């Protein structure tokens, strides 16, 4: 990566990010429709910075390789050079990557999260007026989901039915008094105190910084007591140990405060995952920040995104202690590759999350307002146009230009 000598690197001091005015951000273009949405996104992000900071703050984007393009050029799906650069610059923005089939790496997206220990998957979910949705009151949804990103059934410890390892494990389980069917495939679900607490810490810090009214720990602890149940218990423990003056639990509200949360405190509650799915459909406005385990978070994020109009506009970020990767949450939509057709909204709004992370909120606001205005004007890509009446169908690049015109 040939870097611009005027750029400086992001650093951290006492856990706090220090962002120089001129930084370099590596980007991964992505597979399939990735190049189309990446091009549109970087244009919007660049124009927003120019408009707001008039050259005072600037990002130079450098391409790093991953996915098919990387494999074609280097015979590696995720070259060491890419890992080194992202580690060095501490930040990246990426388009979607296809999961290579027939061997090699299991999933590049999962690999990136594991390589950089990006333990929190952050997904804000908010409604933009005018977006067609399947629900009656999408405007009541204003959530941010913190999903644990490194543990749970995603740790990849699985043994095939009838394999030697599955047989060994089932013998071991038998010695512990648990008999399972001999032809079972076996998966392991590790959930640690360390992993749970650091994820809940990130969610609480976010809630405090952004003055959010509540945090909900979502788990399936009624069934999986020592993994899901423990996640919930460790979440409450962490809140008490580190954030006692900011938090009030639902139990305390009922016992000590007559059912009314005291002014200025963040309400900490927990919900069992299956209940949470119906709660979010029926009473979404009672929830704000959600902290949950990996698999629950995976399902919940997509279900909530659908509630406000789908994955085409749902942004996401994978954040660790010092490294963060901002990404489109949908896949590569390969059938539309190279057609300048799909919605770049998810990646553009991931760029907005990146600006927020950098502390450049003025630029975020500009983009979000222009994005909302463009949709209200019914200038949209095919995915939204086909569900609206009287809308103007735009290509990916035209949608980006329409946002810029609305700055
Ligand atoms: P997908 O690429 O998300 O596409 C599924 C459908 O979602 C598309 O056919 C399209 O619907 C709609 N869609 C996706 N992106 C859109 C956009 N930007 N604008 C409008 N509509 C959009 O899911 P997939 O087909 O299951 O996965 C394809 C590849 O992507 C796989 O290799 C998978 O592993 C990978 N993937 C990567 C990521 C990631 O990089 N984070 C995430 C998920 C999947 P219509 O057909 O209705 O138009």
């Amino acid at each position: 990566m040939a870097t611009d000598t005027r750029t400086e690197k992001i650093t951290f001091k006492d856990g706090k990010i220090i962002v120089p005015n001129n930084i370099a951000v590596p980007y991964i273009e992505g597979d399939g429709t990735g190049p189309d949405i990446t091009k549109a996104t970087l244009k919007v992000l660049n124009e927003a910075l120019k408009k707001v900071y008039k050259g005072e703050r600037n990002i130079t984007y450098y391409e790093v390789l991953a996915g098919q393009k990387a494999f074609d050029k280097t015979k590696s799906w995720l070259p060491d050079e890419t890992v080194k650069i992202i580690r060095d610059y501490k930040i990246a923005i990426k388009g979607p990557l296809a999961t290579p089939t027939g061997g090699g790496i299991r999933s590049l997206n999962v690999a990136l999260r594991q390589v950089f220990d990006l333990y929190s998957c952050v997904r804000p979910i908010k409604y933009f007026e005018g977006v067609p949705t399947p629900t009656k009151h999408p405007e009541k949804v204003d959530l941010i989901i913190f999903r644990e990103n490194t543990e749970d059934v995603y740790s990849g410890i699985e043994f095939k039915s009838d394999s030697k390892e599955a047989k060994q494990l089932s013998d071991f389980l038998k010695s512990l008094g648990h008999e399972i069917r001999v032809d079972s495939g076996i998966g392991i679900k590790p959930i640690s105190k360390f992993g749970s607490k650091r994820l809940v810490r990130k969610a609480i810090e976010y809630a405090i910084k952004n003055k959010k009214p509540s945090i909900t720990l979502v788990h399936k602890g009624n069934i999986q007591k020592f993994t899901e149940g423990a996640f919930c218990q460790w979440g409450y423990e962490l809140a008490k140990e580190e954030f006692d003056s900011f938090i009030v639990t639902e139990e305390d509200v009922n016992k000590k405060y007559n059912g009314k949360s005291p002014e200025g405190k963040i309400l900490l509650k927990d919900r069992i995952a299956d209940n949470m799915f119906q709660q979010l459909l029926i009473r979404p406005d009672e929830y704000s920040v959600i902290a949950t385990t990996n698999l629950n978070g995976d399902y919940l994020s997509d279900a909530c995104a659908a509630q406000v109009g789908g994955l085409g506009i749902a942004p996401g970020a994978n954040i660790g202690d010092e490294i963060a990767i901002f990404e489109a949450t949908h896949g590569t939509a390969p059938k539309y590759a190279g057609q300048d057709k799909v919605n770049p909204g998810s990646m553009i709004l991931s760029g907005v999350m990146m600006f927020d992370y950098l502390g450049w909120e003025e630029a975020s606001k500009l983009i979000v307002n222009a994005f909302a205005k463009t949709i209200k004007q019914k200038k949209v890509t095919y995915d939204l146009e086909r569900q609206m009446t009287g809308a103007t169908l735009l290509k990916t690049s035209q949608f980006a230009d329409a946002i810029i015109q609305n700055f």
Side-chain angles (χ1 to χ4, degrees):
M1 181 170 110
T3 44
D4 184 328
T5 48
R6 286 164 303 176
T7 63
E8 291 176 78
K9 286 179 187 162
I10 291 169
T11 51
F12 282 80
K13 191 159 187 256
D14 303 327
K16 295 236 161 11
I17 189 166
I18 299 168
V19 184
N21 279 341
N22 264 297
I23 58 169
V25 171
Y27 73 92
I28 294 168
E29 189 182 63
D31 300 321
T33 51
D36 283 346
I37 62 168
T38 301
K39 195 170 162 204
T41 298
L42 298 189
K43 188 171 181 187
V44 171
L45 300 185
N46 275 330
E47 291 301 319
L49 288 191
K50 273 195 228 159
K51 175 105 185 160
V52 175
Y53 301 119
K54 306 197 167 29
E56 204 180 298
R57 280 180 170 162
N58 186 42
I59 294 179
T60 311
Y61 294 93
Y62 290 105
E63 184 174 8
V64 290
L65 298 176
Q68 191 67 50
K69 196 170 178 180
F71 190 76
D72 293 345
K73 288 196 176 171
T74 70
K75 291 280 169 277
S76 164
W77 295 103
L78 182 60
D80 291 346
E81 166 93 348
T82 298
V83 173
K84 188 175 164 295
I85 290 169
I86 296 176
R87 205 180 288 291
D88 205 22
Y89 283 81
K90 301 191 187 302
I91 194 164
I93 184 162
K94 70 174 270 290
L97 290 169
T99 300
T101 44
I105 210 152
R106 263 180 5 125
S107 154
L108 283 170
N109 302 301
V110 175
L112 282 166
R113 291 167 198 169
Q114 285 173 351
V115 165
F116 298 116
D117 196 21
L118 306 176
Y119 58 84
S120 50
C121 176
V122 185
R123 298 271 295 264
I125 296 141
K126 199 172 159 52
Y127 179 62
F128 285 96
E129 199 186 328
V131 172
T133 75
T135 50
K136 276 189 187 157
H137 289 290
E139 74 286 353
K140 290 187 178 177
V141 178
D142 184 3
L143 299 167
I144 182 156
I145 300 178
F146 285 76
R147 160 189 168 198
E148 204 291 324
N149 225 0
T150 61
E151 303 193 329
D152 203 343
V153 291
Y154 291 73
S155 29
I157 312 170
E158 269 200 307
F159 302 101
K160 206 171 167 182
S161 155
D162 290 330
S163 66
K164 192 174 105 239
E165 294 85 357
K167 174 85 180 53
Q168 276 176 350
L169 255 175
S170 84
D171 287 346
F172 176 62
L173 289 172
K174 198 172 179 183
S175 75
L176 296 179
H178 297 283
E179 198 138 356
I180 58 172
R181 289 192 185 98
V182 284
D183 58 354
S184 298
I186 305 177
I188 305 277
K189 176 187 175 88
I191 303 267
S192 71
K193 188 193 276 190
F194 172 78
S196 302
K197 284 192 170 182
R198 68 177 178 171
L199 184 272
V200 175
R201 183 180 297 114
K202 270 256 189 290
I204 298 180
E205 283 170 352
Y206 176 89
I208 294 171
K209 183 168 176 231
N210 294 282
K211 300 190 171 39
K212 296 290 181 185
S214 72
I215 300 167
T216 308
L217 305 168
V218 177
H219 60 93
K220 189 67 191 161
N222 55 332
I223 303 297
Q224 302 163 55
K225 296 186 194 313
F226 304 127
T227 50
E228 295 277 329
F231 171 85
C232 176
Q233 182 201 326
W234 291 324
Y236 277 111
E237 251 175 52
L238 183 275
K240 178 100 192 116
E241 287 159 2
E242 297 182 18
F243 301 99
D244 199 28
S245 60
F246 294 95
I247 299 281
V248 63
T249 63
E250 206 167 34
E251 194 184 350
D252 278 349
V253 167
N254 291 330
K255 278 191 188 153
K256 298 184 192 160
Y257 300 102
N258 258 337
K260 199 174 174 308
S261 190
E263 192 79 8
K265 295 264 188 180
I266 300 169
L267 180 63
L268 180 63
K269 44 193 171 181
D270 74 279
R271 294 288 180 272
I272 290 173
D274 42 345
N275 177 27
M276 191 63 179
F277 276 91
Q278 59 111 5
Q279 292 276 323
L280 286 174
L281 273 172
I282 297 166
R283 305 204 294 263
D285 46 345
E286 289 182 16
Y287 298 93
S288 175
V289 178
I290 291 170
T292 190
T293 50
N294 207 338
L295 185 60
N296 290 331
D298 195 357
Y299 295 155
L300 267 181
S301 326
D302 279 18
C304 293
Q307 242 171 284
V308 297
L311 279 177
I313 56 167
N318 295 297
I319 303 179
D321 281 332
E322 291 200 350
I323 299 177
I325 300 184
F326 299 85
E327 66 171 1
T329 53
H330 55 72
T332 58
K335 64 183 172 184
Y336 300 126
Q339 294 179 28
D340 193 19
K341 180 179 172 98
V342 298
N343 193 337
S346 171
M347 195 168 172
I348 291 173
L349 294 173
S350 304
V352 165
M353 290 180 79
M354 179 173 79
F355 285 165
D356 283 341
Y357 177 80
L358 297 172
W360 297 1
E361 284 96 354
E362 302 86 354
S364 306
K365 280 195 192 106
L366 181 78
I367 298 174
V368 170
N369 289 340
F371 188 92
K373 193 168 163 193
T374 310
I375 287 175
K376 252 189 179 169
Q377 292 166 338
K378 297 192 175 184
K379 293 178 181 168
V380 288
T381 44
Y382 84 97
D383 51 319
L384 301 183
E385 191 266 351
R386 68 186 168 188
Q387 304 175 66
M388 291 164 127
T389 42
T392 309
L393 175 63
L394 300 183
K395 289 179 174 298
T396 310
S397 53
Q398 292 171 327
F399 182 66
D401 289 338
I403 294 173
I404 293 165
Q405 274 160 22
N406 278 326
F407 279 173

